[in-house]
Amino acid sequence: MNKLDKHEKRHIRLQICELLDSHCHTCPERIKYRSTVCLQVCPVSQEMRQLAALLEGDSPADPQPREPVVEQAQNTQKRKGRWSAEEVFYLWHHRKVLTIDELANRLNREPKAVYEKLKQLLQKGGISDAG
């Protein structure tokens, strides 16, 4: 394990500050849901955790952020009913990155339910109106 010098550490701290300033400071989900969503599903939060792990002397591949609650129940019956705020957040922020089938698998929901929820969110204009 090679040690970081003070300039490298400073650069990492500045990257974390930049993420906080550019994303977290104005993030409506952070304000609405507090830190629950940030800690569980936000990709920016995961990136900051990886940077922090570098400062702590861990390898960036070593830290395993807590799996989001929405991804924990993979081998059980598909979820039905009301969507949690975390599920809605995850769906909204991964809609352009993952397919409907991938989202359904990660959210432990039927693809049709994921499609319908996403359609509903799009009609409402995003997650700021969803709850």
Side-chain angles (χ1 to χ4, degrees):
M1 185 70 50
N2 47 347
K3 293 280 188 180
L4 300 174
D5 65 28
K6 70 178 185 176
H7 297 291
E8 292 168 324
K9 288 181 180 181
R10 182 176 187 273
H11 179 71
I12 291 170
R13 287 192 304 273
L14 288 173
Q15 283 180 289
I16 292 171
C17 288
E18 176 63 30
L19 288 170
L20 286 168
D21 290 344
S22 66
H23 179 77
C24 300
H25 182 68
T26 59
C27 179
E29 284 76 30
R30 182 188 66 83
I31 295 165
K32 184 175 180 181
Y33 299 114
R34 304 275 181 213
S35 62
T36 305
V37 171
C38 299
L39 293 174
Q40 293 178 351
V41 294
C42 180
V44 175
S45 174
Q46 291 174 3
E47 184 178 347
M48 283 190 283
R49 268 190 251 122
Q50 288 180 335
L51 289 169
L54 288 172
L55 291 174
E56 294 170 354
D58 294 337
S59 146
D62 287 346
Q64 292 297 319
R66 258 182 46 214
E67 286 294 316
V69 173
V70 294
E71 290 188 36
Q72 288 177 351
Q74 292 295 320
N75 296 326
T76 61
Q77 188 175 358
K78 297 290 184 192
R79 281 183 47 94
K80 293 182 180 181
R82 189 177 180 112
W83 287 69
S84 70
E86 290 84 7
E87 288 177 306
V88 172
F89 183 89
Y90 187 88
L91 176 62
W92 185 253
H93 285 87
H94 290 84
R95 73 191 187 281
K96 294 181 180 177
V97 182
L98 301 173
T99 66
I100 296 290
D101 288 334
E102 291 170 326
L103 287 165
N105 185 41
R106 292 186 182 198
L107 292 166
N108 198 34
R109 297 238 182 208
E110 292 294 334
K112 183 176 180 179
V114 171
Y115 173 80
E116 291 298 325
K117 185 63 175 181
L118 190 54
K119 183 175 155 184
Q120 175 189 27
L121 291 172
L122 289 168
Q123 288 172 345
K124 288 184 175 182
I127 64 171
S128 59
D129 298 328

